[in-house]
Amino acid sequence: TSCARRSRGGAPPRRPGTEPARELPALAAPALLADEPVPADDLAAIVAALRVPDEAVLDHRVLDNGPGWRVVLLDSAARVAGLTPDWTRLRAERPDLSVGVAGLHGDDGGPDGTAVEVRGFALAMGIPEDPVTGSLNAVVGQWLTRDGRFPGRYVAAQGAALGRAGRVHVERDGAGTVGVGGSRVSCVAGAVRVGRVAAAENGGPGARSLRRLGQVSTNPPVSGTARALTDRAVVSRARWALMLSGIQI
């Protein structure tokens, strides 16, 4: 699924030397289910796992658009790129956490003019590190463009630690909606049946993530859950997370 999640967007793969004048984000980020500081005990565990000094952490938020990201803003893109985390203890004590890390490049920018370095460790979904993560880049953009710490339009780099050169285009419009997009290479295509979603929601794999997406109880029978998932907001949020977060159901 990692390849299928690579920098989703509206543009087809480009031939070398054929750069568009501007690459527009293709998907609008959904409203956040949670937007609050990371609890102190979670933050301490994350910082220890990242193996960075406390003073390197500029800010932190729980930003939940489905996966429930704990996002840490570090003091530089170089520090983000150089991370060598040790998740052993965190996996054992807090296996439901997914951690995102971001840092700004300096005035000269990063590779290919990128402004931000992002890394996503989706531990709650069994992914030690994801090469490109649309849902994470969406929440980072929502958080850090609203107060001016990140520019209103920028390109994020992700995946270098895995040998990838992911580029995610992020833009906040005049109404405050954040869009995410980029080029892609389709490796696998398919469809997800709502019936499978309903079955997962009744306790199968992916149930916890889907409860977050739809805020739906697991008590009703499958038919009731399927009806609940026809609610427009739930379907929209599920579609976003399935496309960009690789939720396994």
Side-chain angles (χ1 to χ4, degrees):
T1 58
S2 293
C3 188
R5 286 197 307 279
R6 291 175 61 187
S7 196
R8 302 275 180 174
R14 296 191 303 269
R15 298 187 304 275
T18 59
E19 295 296 322
R22 183 176 172 196
E23 197 165 342
L24 295 175
L27 291 174
L32 294 170
L33 297 171
D35 182 356
E36 60 194 22
V38 177
D41 55 346
D42 284 357
L43 181 63
I46 290 167
V47 171
L50 292 175
R51 302 197 282 194
V52 297
D54 291 344
E55 58 268 23
V57 178
L58 302 182
D59 207 347
H60 52 85
R61 301 292 288 180
V62 176
L63 299 165
D64 190 353
N65 59 1
W69 292 104
R70 271 66 170 170
V71 183
V72 177
L73 177 65
L74 296 185
D75 54 0
S76 71
R79 194 184 295 275
V80 173
L83 290 173
T84 55
D86 180 1
W87 300 117
T88 305
R89 183 173 176 181
L90 196 67
R91 279 200 191 100
E93 296 180 357
R94 293 175 174 82
D96 61 333
L97 295 189
S98 288
V99 178
V101 188
L104 273 170
H105 285 285
D107 292 339
D108 294 334
D112 302 327
T114 53
V116 182
E117 193 75 27
V118 173
R119 294 179 69 178
F121 308 97
L123 308 180
M125 292 177 276
I127 303 171
E129 182 165 2
D130 195 21
V132 174
T133 318
S135 63
L136 172 58
N137 278 279
V139 299
V140 168
Q142 287 171 302
W143 174 31
L144 295 169
T145 61
R146 72 187 175 201
D147 61 6
R149 280 186 283 186
F150 280 16
R153 186 171 75 238
Y154 65 87
V155 180
Q158 188 180 350
L162 300 174
R164 307 289 182 85
R167 300 292 181 262
V168 181
H169 294 244
V170 180
E171 182 174 349
R172 175 181 285 270
D173 66 18
T177 299
V178 171
V180 178
S183 300
R184 68 181 182 186
V185 176
S186 295
C187 300
V188 178
V192 177
R193 294 178 57 195
V194 172
R196 291 287 302 279
V197 174
E201 220 284 325
N202 270 287
R208 181 181 56 79
S209 294
L210 286 167
R211 286 198 300 275
R212 279 180 173 165
L213 292 171
Q215 300 288 294
V216 180
S217 168
T218 56
N219 292 326
V222 171
S223 58
T225 303
R227 284 195 300 272
L229 285 170
T230 61
D231 177 86
R232 186 172 181 179
V234 175
V235 171
S236 175
R237 199 178 298 279
R239 175 178 175 270
W240 168 269
L242 288 167
M243 289 179 65
L244 297 181
S245 302
I247 292 174
Q248 303 299 307
I249 62 172

